[in-house]
Amino acid sequence: MKVYRKIMDVLTMIENIVLTLAFVLILGLTFGNVVARKVFQHSWGFTEEIVIAVFVLLSLLAAGVAARRPGGLTSLSLVPDMVGPRGKKVLNVLSTIACVAYSLILAYEGWGRMKADKTLSPILHIPKVIFWSFVLIGGISLALHFIENCIVYCSQDLTEKDSENGSGQAATEEGTEK
């Protein structure tokens, strides 16, 4: 568990660097294209290809980093709030299985497109394999972070948290009765 967590910390640090560079690249290309259009009345045609591809990478990696934290992605606690600690763990494991399955399907689809699409991009003539690899990388990142989140969540002792909350509530209720 600790080894996996350290590996994921390093991976997250690398992902954060890639996210920062991708964001700066998108910002620079888009701003440069706007300036070129307004000042020189000439658009940079190549920016659309790069920005869309890098935005896919940015979106999927950012989702993976967000999935690292409980509730980092959109979550609804309606059902988990109605069950006990064991039920919450079961729901977390089931949710993780579904999310990892989705992520692996996404990665598999990216891999399949990488193998099938041997064409070049229309403007820059870059192999589309590079763009499809971003889907593969994003799917793998999502799967790894969902697994990490589940491991961390399931390793917590939820009964202690619930008993602390329960005793804290009881003390508060006693204090209000006096």
Side-chain angles (χ1 to χ4, degrees), residues 156-177:
Q156 295 173 348
D157 190 7
L158 295 179
T159 54
E160 287 180 13
K161 286 185 177 181
D162 286 346
S163 65
E164 287 173 9
N165 289 342
S167 62
Q169 289 173 348
T172 306
E173 290 171 4
E174 289 174 11
T176 56
E177 289 176 7

Side-chain angles (χ1 to χ4, degrees), residues 25-64:
L25 178 66
I26 289 172
L27 184 67
L29 286 175
T30 304
F31 180 74
N33 192 25
V34 169
V35 169
R37 261 188 317 201
K38 298 298 180 188
V39 175
F40 306 112
Q41 282 76 39
H42 182 58
S43 180
W44 296 345
F46 67 90
T47 59
E48 185 177 349
E49 280 183 8
I50 295 173
V51 167
I52 289 172
V54 174
F55 190 74
V56 168
L57 177 65
L58 182 97
S59 299
L60 291 173
L61 283 183

Side-chain angles (χ1 to χ4, degrees), residues 107-129:
Y108 179 77
E109 185 65 26
W111 175 255
R113 299 284 176 137
M114 284 176 63
K115 289 187 343 184
D117 196 351
K118 302 297 182 198
T119 61
L120 301 175
S121 66
I123 297 173
L124 292 175
H125 302 291
I126 297 172
K128 287 187 179 177
V129 169

Side-chain angles (χ1 to χ4, degrees), residues 115-160:
K115 289 187 343 184
D117 196 351
K118 302 297 182 198
T119 61
L120 301 175
S121 66
I123 297 173
L124 292 175
H125 302 291
I126 297 172
K128 287 187 179 177
V129 169
I130 295 171
F131 301 141
W132 287 115
S133 71
F134 295 163
V135 176
L136 173 67
I137 292 167
I140 292 170
S141 170
L142 277 167
L144 291 173
H145 286 297
F146 281 127
I147 292 168
E148 176 190 19
N149 183 353
C150 185
I151 290 171
V152 169
Y153 184 82
C154 289
S155 66
Q156 295 173 348
D157 190 7
L158 295 179
T159 54
E160 287 180 13

